[in-house]
Amino acid sequence: MAKSAYFHIPFCAQICYYCDFNKVFFHGQPVDEYLQAMESEMKRTIEAFPADRLDTLFVGGGTPTVLEMKQLDFFLQSIYKHFRFSVHEVEFTFEANPNELSKEKLQLLKEAGVNRLSFGVQTFDDSLLKAIGRTHRYEDVIQTIALAKEVGFENISIDLMYGLPQQTLAQFQADLEIAFSLDIQHISAYSLIIEPKTVFYNLMRKGKLLLPSEEEEAQMYEEAMRQMEMHGYHQYEISNYARPGFQSRHNLTYWNNEEYYGIGAGAHSYLNGVRRANVRPIKKYIEKVQETGFPYLEAHHVTMAEQMEEEMFLGLRKTEGVSKRRFLEKFGLSIHDVFGRAVAMEKQKGLLEETQTHIRLTHRGKLLGNEVFQAFIGGI
C-alpha cells in the first residue's frame, strides 16, 4: 500500500530556459478550477485506492508557492480532507522559488504541517541566474532562507545545478561554498540536461549554447562529492547529499521502487502494480476530472520482469545500492539468478562492486551511471 503522495502545481511566474516539467504561466490560467479538480481527483483516488496513514507528502511543480494565500489555503485543506497522516511523523515537503515566499506564506505552510522546504536555487551567481531564465538573485536566497528559519523551518533543502552555459569550475566551487555557509540540512546537485521543447534545446540546435565540456562537467561532479563529504553532507543518491537523518524520505520512495499516489496535471502514480500518467494540459486535466473523475492518459501494468529491472536501475541510484535480501524477499529470486551476467560485466568494467549485503556503483560507476542502468534493461 502506498505511503507517499505527490501533488503537482503546474503554475510558474517565469518559465526557466532548461525546464521541461509540466508547467504554464500563472497569469490568465484557471487556477481556482484547477485546484478544485485536484480536490476531486484526491477524493476519487482515495475512494478507488484507500490509503493508510501516509509517511511522506511532496508538493512540486511548476512553482507551488506562486499560489495566492487563499488558493494555498484551499489546496492545503483539500489534502487534509482526503489524506491521513501524522503531522508529528510525516515528511511534508513544498518546493519554492526564493523570491516568491512572503513571511505570511511561510507561516501558512508551517501552520498547515509543512516541515520541509526545497528551494530551486540552481546557482548563486547572478549572471548565471539571468542566463538560465531565473528571476531570483543571490540576495533573495539568503533573505528567504533566513526568513524560513525565523518562521521555524528546520529542514531546508536547496537545488544546485552544474554544467550550466559557460559555467566554470571556480563558479561552481563558489556556489558550494555559499551553500555550506547557509547551515541547511540537504543539498541536491544536478548536472544540466538539455531536454526537447526547452529554450536551451532550441539554442543548442542553432549552435548558440556554449556548454562546459564533458570533462569539465565530470570535474564539477567530483568536486561536489568531495566537498559535500568534507562539510558533513553524506551522498545517499547520485545527486543528493544530506546531513545525518535528513535524507529525502519522499524521494527514497521512488528509488526504493515503492508505490505512491500522484495528483495533478502530468503527475505519475504507482498503485497496485500499475503505473499511471495523468494528462498534462491544464484544461484537458480539468475536463477529464469533471467527466470521468480520473485524469489518466495511460495506465501500464508493470510485469514481474519490469519490476525487477526497476528495482535495479532505481536502487543503484542510491549510494548503498540494491539490497540482495530485499530483492530476494520481493521476487523470490536472487539478483544473481536474474542479473548475474550483467552484474559480472559491470563489475569487470569497474562500474559495480559487491558487498555482503548490497550491489552498488563504484566511484567511477557514479560518473557513468546511465551506462550501468542500461545494462539492466530489456535483458530478462
Side-chain angles (χ1 to χ4, degrees), residues 34-46:
Y34 177 78
L35 294 175
Q36 286 159 10
M38 280 189 86
E39 205 247 334
S40 297
E41 189 194 356
M42 291 181 210
K43 180 177 184 293
R44 292 299 298 272
T45 298
I46 290 301

Side-chain angles (χ1 to χ4, degrees), residues 119-131:
F119 288 104
V121 171
Q122 318 315 358
T123 175
F124 295 99
D125 187 299
D126 284 351
S127 62
L128 281 175
L129 285 167
K130 193 175 178 183

Side-chain angles (χ1 to χ4, degrees), residues 135-337:
T135 55
H136 74 268
R137 294 296 175 259
Y138 165 77
E139 279 302 324
D140 295 319
V141 181
I142 305 304
Q143 289 167 11
T144 306
I145 287 180
L147 196 59
K149 289 181 180 181
E150 187 186 313
V151 168
F153 284 95
E154 297 174 346
N155 191 353
I156 295 173
S157 176
I158 65 168
D159 289 351
L160 293 177
M161 294 180 78
Y162 57 90
L164 298 173
Q166 301 188 57
Q167 185 183 31
T168 64
L169 177 59
Q171 282 174 307
F172 183 58
Q173 286 170 326
D175 279 346
L176 290 171
E177 199 174 316
I178 296 167
F180 299 139
S181 74
L182 294 173
D183 190 28
I184 54 175
Q185 290 70 40
H186 187 282
I187 302 172
S188 300
Y190 304 99
S191 65
L192 173 67
I193 297 171
I194 308 297
E195 302 283 6
K197 299 180 184 176
T198 62
V199 173
F200 276 173
Y201 182 76
N202 295 331
L203 287 172
M204 185 180 72
R205 289 184 67 190
K206 293 173 187 172
K208 293 181 179 178
L209 194 66
L210 297 171
L211 297 170
S213 67
E214 281 185 20
E215 187 184 336
E216 288 170 316
E217 194 178 299
Q219 285 175 342
M220 292 180 194
Y221 183 38
E222 295 260 20
E223 186 68 7
M225 289 191 281
R226 189 177 71 81
Q227 290 276 5
M228 294 284 186
E229 201 61 46
M230 274 175 56
H231 288 84
Y233 293 86
H234 176 62
Q235 184 180 26
Y236 67 100
E237 190 268 348
I238 282 181
S239 305
N240 285 274
Y241 310 81
R243 285 182 171 172
F246 287 97
Q247 295 92 338
S248 169
R249 285 160 48 195
H250 183 84
N251 285 339
L252 281 166
T253 298
Y254 304 141
W255 302 320
N256 287 330
N257 199 20
E258 294 168 352
E259 297 197 341
Y260 52 89
Y261 296 93
I263 305 291
H268 290 71
S269 60
Y270 185 23
L271 298 166
N272 295 353
V274 180
R275 291 195 182 275
R276 296 175 177 85
N278 289 357
V279 293
R280 289 169 66 98
I282 309 303
K283 288 180 181 173
K284 189 80 177 166
Y285 169 81
I286 294 169
E287 284 168 14
K288 275 191 82 79
V289 171
Q290 288 171 344
E291 288 166 12
T292 68
F294 296 103
Y296 303 143
L297 173 68
E298 57 188 23
H300 174 70
H301 291 260
V302 185
T303 65
M304 183 65 76
E306 288 169 333
Q307 285 180 46
M308 290 190 285
E309 288 172 357
E310 289 173 356
E311 192 78 12
M312 294 304 294
F313 70 73
L314 290 169
L316 283 171
R317 292 191 64 89
K318 299 179 295 177
T319 307
E320 72 174 13
V322 181
S323 165
K324 296 180 190 176
R325 191 187 71 185
R326 181 185 159 91
F327 191 99
L328 183 62
E329 287 171 355
K330 251 180 146 175
F331 305 112
L333 294 164
S334 76
I335 291 175
H336 287 285
D337 288 337

